[in-house]
Amino acid sequence: MTSAQVDTEKTSEEGYERGLGSRQVQMIAIGGAIGVGLFLGAGANIAKAGPSLIFMYALAGVIIFFIMRALGELLLYRPVSGSFAEYSREFLGPFFGYFTGWTYWLMWVVTGMAELTAAAIYVNYWFPAIPQWVTALVFLVILFGVNLISVKLFGELEFWFSMVKVTALIGMIVIGLGVLTFGFSSAGDTAAVSNLWAFDGFFPKGIGSSLMTLQGVMFAYLAVELVGVTAGESEDPEKTLPKAINTLPWRIALFYVGALTVILCVVKWTEFAPGVSPFVAAFAKIGIPAGAAIVNFVVLTAALSSCNSGMYSTGRMLRNLADSGEAPAAFKKLSSTRTPAFGIAVSVAFMGIGVVLNYVVPEKAFGYVTSVATAAGIWTWLMILVSHVLYRRAVDAGRLPASSFPAPGGAKCSYVAIAFLLFVTGLIAYDADSRVCLYVMAGWAAALAIGWAVLKSRNPEVTRRRDAELEKVN
């Protein structure tokens, strides 16, 4: 064995590198939730709910903050990579850790499909002759290559990806406010705050129709919990994680509620259509030279950024599962750059199913994968909340130490969030178009149950709680 092989083997036995600095974790937290759900999915939801979509984003944003503060308390109690599965394993038992880890992996795989689908749609804006599936495949291969790098470089790339998204959104808001205030551009004559209620009211399709958009709204917020996956690779989690989580309310207020409010004031809601980014449509209406093309480039960047984050997450979650004996041992190994390269490669192979969907049903691909991703995300959030409730009970009983970052209101806000997520699940079951994701999740649950039974028969030790071996970091 050569010295290089020895070094590689040694590296694979060590933990992750703490290569994510404060500014990178901050920007991953900010940019992680600014993706295809906001930039593309909002178009269909505006058509369904009109201006009331603003209220839906604000309502869901409050729940997301409850979820993130619950996660923050757990992260500062014990910061680990693959945190959701670890906390489920600790507080609900090994099966729930196994189920949550694999379901979070599924969420990011199908989210990656959605982002690839969106990226292909954005490229279609410039090159309509190129089939969607070809573009999706090209991006999949490029991002796979990008992900086989050090976490430090990944963090730097995500920092700049997110910087582009954040800067562009702020620019859109400023330009929109300028149109409203000074009336310039071709949209100036019709731009007015009264557009929020002038066309059949604030709830033009009724409250019921507005509530039905909550599943799409929740999809837009997927990835806010990504900061929990970075916990094991953050330089100073006790400082960076609370800061990232506490900035969530103003991020939601500015980038979701603020941006949509300005756009719906500038352009009346009846002019938006499904399948078209409302941001692209708004800039086309304003008539800024090349404005729509610039925004299209920004939303393309957003989609690729989110897909890139998905590849990062899936590799880490597979390694966590392998460390607990709940996935093949091959996923434990790290490359020479301390990245779980094999886990990333397998995840990318499954994301390739999205390319097939873009070939077979390009007009429905986005809707299918977003509904499945939302269902998987809701499960992950529920596990965070239930783990938090059980952790607080253990702290109150004196069995566990208190976290340095307690959630306001204790477990009460977690109960509210649990009720809300169950309500959204009911809405998904009620809607015929999105109901298919529950069938997919039922099949997924059955497959995992069979997998768990096989694991138990082969290795009964898996069913016993134990400390993770690979959480050491350098």
Side-chain angles (χ1 to χ4, degrees):
M1 183 180 290
T2 66
S3 60
Q5 288 173 316
V6 172
D7 289 342
T8 301
E9 185 65 28
K10 182 182 177 185
T11 299
S12 70
E13 297 298 339
E14 295 172 352
Y16 296 121
E17 176 187 9
R18 286 209 185 273
L20 295 177
S22 176
R23 68 183 177 87
Q24 293 167 331
V25 172
Q26 289 293 318
M27 214 32 115
I28 287 172
I30 292 171
I34 303 174
V36 65
L38 174 63
F39 282 124
L40 181 61
N45 287 325
I46 289 172
K48 288 180 184 176
S52 65
L53 183 64
I54 298 168
F55 176 73
M56 295 300 119
Y57 269 103
L59 174 62
V62 172
I63 300 301
I64 291 296
F65 182 63
F66 291 166
I67 295 169
M68 290 304 292
R69 281 306 301 258
L71 176 59
E73 182 165 358
L74 291 169
L75 285 171
L76 270 294
Y77 149 68
R78 192 163 71 92
V80 291
S81 186
S83 56
F84 324 117
E86 270 300 296
Y87 301 136
S88 299
R89 198 172 287 120
E90 177 176 353
F91 295 108
L92 289 110
F95 174 76
F96 285 93
Y98 157 84
F99 196 100
T100 301
W102 277 110
T103 301
Y104 191 67
W105 174 84
L106 174 71
M107 186 199 91
W108 268 114
V109 166
V110 294
T111 298
M113 294 180 194
E115 304 292 2
L116 288 169
T117 300
I121 291 171
Y122 297 145
V123 170
N124 192 255
Y125 176 87
W126 293 298
F127 306 105
I130 299 178
Q132 271 185 216
W133 73 269
V134 172
T135 309
L137 179 61
V138 170
F139 284 138
L140 182 69
V141 172
I142 291 173
L143 290 178
F144 176 52
V146 167
N147 247 271
L148 299 181
I149 53 179
S150 71
V151 68
K152 196 168 288 187
L153 188 51
F154 161 82
E156 198 62 29
L157 285 173
E158 278 306 299
F159 174 84
W160 291 108
F161 266 147
S162 297
M163 184 66 80
V164 169
K165 293 187 285 188
V166 169
T167 303
L169 268 179
I170 292 174
M172 291 177 205
I173 293 171
V174 170
I175 291 171
L177 289 174
V179 172
L180 277 171
T181 305
F182 302 108
F184 63 80
S185 87
S186 57
D189 293 337
T190 56
V193 176
S194 60
N195 283 342
L196 295 178
W197 60 82
F199 301 94
D200 297 323
F202 189 69
F203 291 88
K205 300 289 185 74
I207 294 178
S209 183
S210 298
L211 289 173
M212 292 306 295
T213 64
L214 278 175
Q215 54 182 302
V217 169
M218 296 309 286
F219 173 77
Y221 284 123
L222 291 184
V224 292
E225 75 293 321
L226 182 63
V227 68
V229 182
T230 70
E233 294 171 272
S234 302
E235 287 178 353
D236 190 356
E238 292 199 357
K239 289 184 179 179
T240 57
L241 296 179
K243 189 176 180 182
I245 291 170
N246 279 334
T247 56
L248 188 65
W250 72 258
R251 282 187 268 138
I252 290 172
L254 180 64
F255 298 130
Y256 283 89
V257 178
L260 281 175
T261 300
V262 170
I263 281 180
L264 289 171
C265 287
V266 171
V267 183
K268 55 187 179 183
W269 73 269
T270 53
E271 296 186 24
F272 295 106
V276 178
S277 168
F279 296 90
V280 174
F283 268 66
K285 175 76 173 177
I286 291 171
I288 296 175
I294 292 171
V295 176
N296 202 66
F297 170 75
V298 171
V299 294
L300 172 62
T301 302
L304 296 179
S305 168
S306 189
C307 187
N308 193 36
S309 295
M311 291 183 186
Y312 168 88
S313 302
T314 51
R316 271 74 185 169
M317 194 56 72
L318 286 178
R319 187 174 189 243
N320 178 270
L321 287 162
D323 178 37
S324 299
E326 297 161 358
F331 291 126
K332 284 187 185 183
K333 295 180 181 178
L334 295 178
S335 68
S336 59
T337 55
R338 296 191 188 178
T339 60
F342 182 65
I344 294 171
V346 171
S347 302
V348 167
F350 278 93
M351 286 182 190
I353 296 172
V355 176
V356 177
L357 284 175
N358 274 284
Y359 177 74
V360 179
V361 283
E363 72 286 352
K364 295 182 178 180
F366 184 75
Y368 284 158
V369 294
T370 55
S371 63
V372 174
T374 303
I378 286 174
W379 173 268
T380 301
W381 290 336
L382 281 171
M383 290 301 98
I384 291 171
L385 293 166
V386 173
S387 296
H388 176 248
V389 168
L390 295 176
Y391 166 70
R392 287 303 295 248
R393 286 183 185 173
V395 171
D396 293 342
R399 295 194 303 272
L400 288 175
S403 170
S404 60
F405 187 49
K412 296 184 183 68
C413 291
S414 289
Y415 282 118
V416 172
I418 288 169
F420 181 86
L421 292 179
L422 293 176
F423 173 69
V424 173
T425 304
L427 293 177
I428 292 173
Y430 179 77
D431 183 41
D433 291 334
S434 61
R435 194 182 302 147
V436 65
C437 77
L438 297 182
Y439 301 141
V440 172
M441 290 303 294
W444 176 252
L448 287 181
I450 293 170
W452 182 251
V454 172
L455 276 174
K456 282 176 65 177
S457 64
R458 291 184 177 179
N459 182 16
E461 193 67 27
V462 169
T463 63
R464 300 190 183 97
R465 179 73 183 99
R466 64 183 184 82
D467 293 329
E469 295 170 358
L470 293 175
E471 294 300 344
K472 299 186 292 293
V473 288
N474 298 280

